[in-house]
Amino acid sequence: VHFSESGNWEFVYSIDGNPQPQISTFGNFYELNATVSGDYELVSAIAPNGCPVDLSGLAMVTETEIDLSLNFENVSCFNGNDGSINLNVIGGNAPFNFQWSTGASTQNLTNLTQGNYTVTVTDNNGCTQTDSESITQPTQLNAAVININHVNCANPTGGNIQLFANGGTPSYQFQWNTGSVVQNPTNLSGGNYT
């Protein structure tokens, strides 16, 4: 509330039409703490000389809720730690304080392992909002040779290997020591294959 000069000013304001207790101030500026939402309006004011003054001023105070949006990336490999959570804050009154279940106080988290993560966001007004996200990981990648056809004198390049793969995140890529990139190599001669 701004006054035209310094001195002992007295004024009354209302919230949504309900008059509040009279306030006295000696400054030409008075900061009114708005603790509830509503329409704040000056009702009356008396100048330092005891005369009533013309009033102008209406302020609408609204409470903005904090909404949280969590965007996440799961861990890419079994027992990995490349998961992440990006936190978007909508509403509230900045600046914000972030408190994660990991103890971190940053807005976003990186290098995460599989698990549940909870964040509490506190805005400049002391309002809080909590949200959580689960980071998952793929199952362990397994590969096993399930069948080998060996070469013989009649067919010295007739060997083949059948490989079974599961777990991880399909689709799979294969790389043999021969340079082959197929799952089940064929037309093999005698030798060691990895």
Side-chain angles (χ1 to χ4, degrees):
V1 179
H2 289 274
F3 302 102
S4 59
E5 60 185 68
S6 296
N8 185 21
W9 290 86
E10 296 178 349
F11 70 95
V12 173
Y13 70 98
S14 67
I15 303 175
D16 291 332
N18 299 312
Q20 304 300 305
Q22 180 174 297
I23 295 176
S24 295
T25 180
F26 283 90
N28 63 356
F29 173 78
Y30 183 84
E31 185 173 318
L32 183 65
N33 290 323
T35 56
V36 296
S37 60
D39 290 335
Y40 287 65
E41 185 174 14
L42 288 172
V43 175
S44 64
I46 298 175
N49 63 10
C51 297
V53 296
D54 293 329
L55 303 174
S56 65
L58 173 66
M60 179 181 293
V61 176
T62 58
E63 180 180 349
T64 304
E65 292 186 4
I66 302 172
D67 290 320
L68 306 179
S69 171
L70 300 175
N71 299 311
F72 65 94
E73 290 290 334
N74 287 319
V75 175
S76 61
C77 295
F78 181 76
N79 276 344
N81 67 340
D82 61 349
S84 64
I85 300 175
N86 292 326
L87 171 62
N88 295 313
V89 181
I90 304 161
N93 186 14
F96 300 101
N97 175 273
F98 306 97
Q99 189 61 53
W100 290 90
S101 53
T102 62
S105 58
T106 56
Q107 182 169 350
N108 302 316
L109 293 181
T110 57
N111 303 320
L112 300 179
T113 58
Q114 175 187 17
N116 298 319
Y117 297 88
T118 301
V119 62
T120 299
V121 178
T122 305
D123 75 357
N124 199 42
N125 293 333
C127 300
T128 62
Q129 186 65 271
T130 300
D131 204 349
S132 60
E133 191 59 72
S134 295
I135 298 295
T136 63
Q137 68 180 358
T139 58
Q140 187 167 9
L141 178 62
N142 297 299
V145 173
I146 57 173
N147 188 38
I148 299 175
N149 288 327
H150 295 282
V151 298
N152 56 42
C153 294
N155 192 0
T157 59
N160 63 59
I161 301 171
Q162 289 182 320
L163 182 70
F164 173 76
N166 71 344
T169 305
S171 61
Y172 304 118
Q173 295 180 357
F174 303 91
Q175 181 67 57
W176 292 89
N177 62 340
T178 61
S180 175
V181 294
V182 298
Q183 180 174 350
N184 302 310
T186 59
N187 302 318
L188 302 175
S189 57
N192 294 319
Y193 297 90
T194 57

